[in-house]
Amino acid sequence: MNVVVTGFGAFSDQSDNPSGLLARALNGQRIGENTITGVVLPVATGQIGPALATALEGLRPRLVLGLGVAPGRMAPALERVAINVRDFPVPDTENAQVVDEPVIVDGPDAYLASLPLKAILAAWRAAGLPGYVSNTAGTYLCNQLFYLLAHQGRDGGFRAGFIHLPALPTPAAAPAPSMSLDVMEQAVRIAVDVATSHIGPDLPLESGALS
């Protein structure tokens, strides 16, 4: 059974983008009954859609899980909602800086992840891993990809979701939130396993936020 895991390449100060490193590392591996296809997508708003279409062609995946890095976050974040907005705080690698434009013209305002987020979170906790459910994937390329995955998953019959990862540790003088690549890989493996094996409603696990 096919599962696609996507990551992004280098951008800005993320020369070692953990999402892209994990997509490469997982490519060709098996998680449970699933064969993983790992794809590294360009950090360019105009290229994501075509690159994603090429990656999914002929695969008929049961799950497509997008990964991205979110410097400053302290733990992996299961994104709950993708919004139909592109509003870039910084340019992409092709120097495009889109402001207040939709991901898909006339598309729905938002999509919810079709993953069992709480079941994944419970499995992370059982494994001693940190993590949480996030209610914003931002308005940059990670949100764009998440929205495209959810939109295509609705018609393509696959589960779609997105996980934001912390940055990798760096030798910078000032300590910053980070996580080792092997721990992030463990979290992604668990997410894939639960997302493809969980049956029935998601778990009623409290993980909301006041703001």
Side-chain angles (χ1 to χ4, degrees):
M1 298 183 184
N2 292 317
V3 167
V4 176
V5 175
T6 73
F8 284 105
F11 73 100
S12 185
D13 60 348
Q14 295 299 311
S15 57
D16 291 323
N17 189 328
S19 69
L21 296 177
L22 286 176
R24 290 191 184 96
L26 291 172
N27 184 46
Q29 295 197 30
R30 290 185 64 83
I31 299 175
E33 299 179 349
N34 308 293
T35 299
I36 308 301
T37 297
V39 179
V40 180
L41 299 172
V43 186
T45 187
Q47 294 187 39
I48 290 178
L52 182 63
T54 298
L56 298 183
E57 187 175 2
L59 282 181
R60 297 182 62 86
R62 63 191 303 196
L63 165 69
V64 184
L65 179 63
L67 306 177
V69 63
R73 297 204 188 191
M74 301 182 69
L78 293 155
E79 297 297 349
R80 193 195 304 257
V81 59
I83 60 174
N84 194 15
V85 173
R86 291 181 298 156
D87 191 0
F88 294 178
V90 295
D92 66 14
T93 55
E94 294 187 334
N95 207 37
Q97 188 163 10
V98 182
V99 176
D100 293 340
E101 292 188 12
V103 177
I104 296 177
V105 175
D106 295 328
D109 291 338
Y111 283 109
L112 294 178
S114 52
L115 307 185
L117 300 180
K118 307 296 183 68
I120 295 170
L121 184 60
W124 282 354
R125 291 176 178 176
L129 298 176
Y132 63 102
V133 174
S134 166
N135 295 304
T136 174
T139 56
Y140 196 47
L141 298 175
C142 290
N143 174 75
Q144 177 181 341
L145 172 61
F146 183 15
Y147 187 92
L148 289 173
L149 292 178
H151 185 79
Q152 294 181 28
R154 179 190 63 178
D155 298 327
F158 59 80
R159 278 184 160 175
F162 194 91
I163 296 176
H164 262 124
L165 303 168
L168 289 169
T170 64
S178 64
M179 180 173 282
S180 65
L181 195 65
D182 60 334
V183 175
M184 287 190 270
E185 180 175 342
Q186 184 184 3
V188 172
R189 285 178 172 274
I190 289 172
V192 169
D193 187 46
V194 174
T196 54
S197 63
H198 183 81
I199 299 173
D202 201 359
L203 301 183
L205 181 68
E206 184 280 315
S207 58
L210 291 176
S211 62

